[in-house]
Amino acid sequence: MLLTHARVETSLTLRHGEQILLTLLIPLALLVGLSLLDFLPTGEIGSLERVDWVTPRILALAVMSSAFTGQAIALGFDRRYGVLKRLSATALPRWLLVAGRLVAALVVVALQAVVIGVVAALLGWSPSGAGLGFAVVLLVLGTLAFGALGVLLGGALRAEAVLALANIVWFVLLLAGGILMAPSSLPGALGDVVALLPSGALAEGLREALVEGTFAWGPVATLAVWAVAAGALATRTTKLT
């Protein structure tokens, strides 16, 4: 039942043109643009190749786009059109409705990572082999954390409010949430706060894994706390209609 439900959710996501634009085309455009053009402050990159600095952050953006923004919007409109109410009347238990969406999000993130990795490799990306396993762990934890936040947002508000708020949060986290700008480059306590956001933790964790080949518990703990807290709150606030 779980695999069937996850397969249906994955198929619906991949068929949706707006979802593909959000989850794949925008990250790819940013990957190519930021790797080839001199948009980012040179001081943040140092002696690294630009694509080596950019790729981990684009992977974090891809996870946020699919697991949070796309998930929240899809759930909000599923509730509006009564999809969840009808599914809840079937043999599918409620936990499986959420689990199926999370498994589908993991599948989509895996496809994103493969496509982005191939394009980045064509641009000259050379990740640290020692950190690849840790990067996979971070991608899974990031998907669970952002997926839980997406369910929390999409399961509590009206569809129109979810659409507006999810896109606003996406832009804010992209510009000031540790993705395009490293937390260390932000002034004072702002950098410390951004490092505790799921976007900042995922981007910095992937950078350390794929650039430096090192393992850090800080990003893992941050993402785990966000996943557990958002998941627990979502179970109390999510409405079927």
Side-chain angles (χ1 to χ4, degrees):
M1 292 172 68
L2 175 60
L3 293 177
T4 300
H5 182 48
R7 184 168 62 248
V8 171
E9 292 290 346
T10 303
S11 177
L12 290 174
T13 299
L14 296 178
R15 290 179 186 177
H16 201 291
E18 293 180 2
Q19 291 275 37
I20 295 298
L21 174 66
L22 177 68
T23 60
L24 192 57
L25 296 185
I26 291 178
L28 283 176
L30 287 173
L31 172 65
V32 175
L34 295 175
S35 297
L36 299 180
L37 302 177
D38 190 12
F39 286 149
L40 296 173
T42 306
E44 290 187 18
I45 299 176
S47 61
L48 287 174
E49 291 292 333
R50 192 171 295 274
V51 67
D52 291 331
W53 192 91
V54 168
T55 302
R57 300 184 178 282
I58 296 301
L59 288 171
L61 174 64
V63 172
M64 182 176 71
S65 299
S66 60
F68 172 69
T69 310
Q71 186 80 252
I73 294 173
L75 180 59
F77 280 94
D78 280 352
R79 290 173 51 238
R80 176 180 180 178
Y81 296 128
V83 175
L84 287 188
K85 184 178 181 179
R86 288 172 172 80
L87 286 175
S88 68
T90 68
L92 292 174
R94 291 196 179 189
W95 69 266
L96 196 145
L97 294 176
V98 176
R101 286 179 175 271
L102 291 179
V103 172
L106 288 170
V107 173
V108 173
V109 166
L111 294 174
Q112 288 175 298
V114 170
V115 174
I116 290 172
V118 169
V119 174
L122 294 175
L123 294 171
W125 179 46
S126 55
S128 170
L132 289 177
F134 181 45
V136 172
V137 173
L138 283 168
L139 288 174
V140 172
L141 280 175
T143 302
L144 295 178
F146 277 114
L149 289 167
V151 172
L152 175 61
L153 178 61
L157 303 178
R158 295 176 62 88
E160 294 81 4
V162 172
L163 180 62
L165 189 56
N167 283 298
I168 290 173
V169 172
W170 186 89
F171 275 109
V172 170
L173 293 181
L174 170 65
L175 298 176
I179 293 182
L180 288 187
M181 296 183 66
S184 58
S185 68
L186 299 174
L190 181 59
D192 297 331
V193 172
V194 168
L196 295 177
L197 296 176
S199 53
L202 181 57
E204 285 301 297
L206 288 173
R207 180 192 61 79
E208 292 182 5
L210 297 175
V211 174
E212 302 173 7
T214 58
F215 179 88
W217 283 104
V220 171
T222 300
L223 292 172
V225 168
W226 277 100
V228 172
L233 188 57
T235 58
R236 295 176 176 271
T237 60
T238 298
K239 305 172 185 177
L240 296 180
T241 59

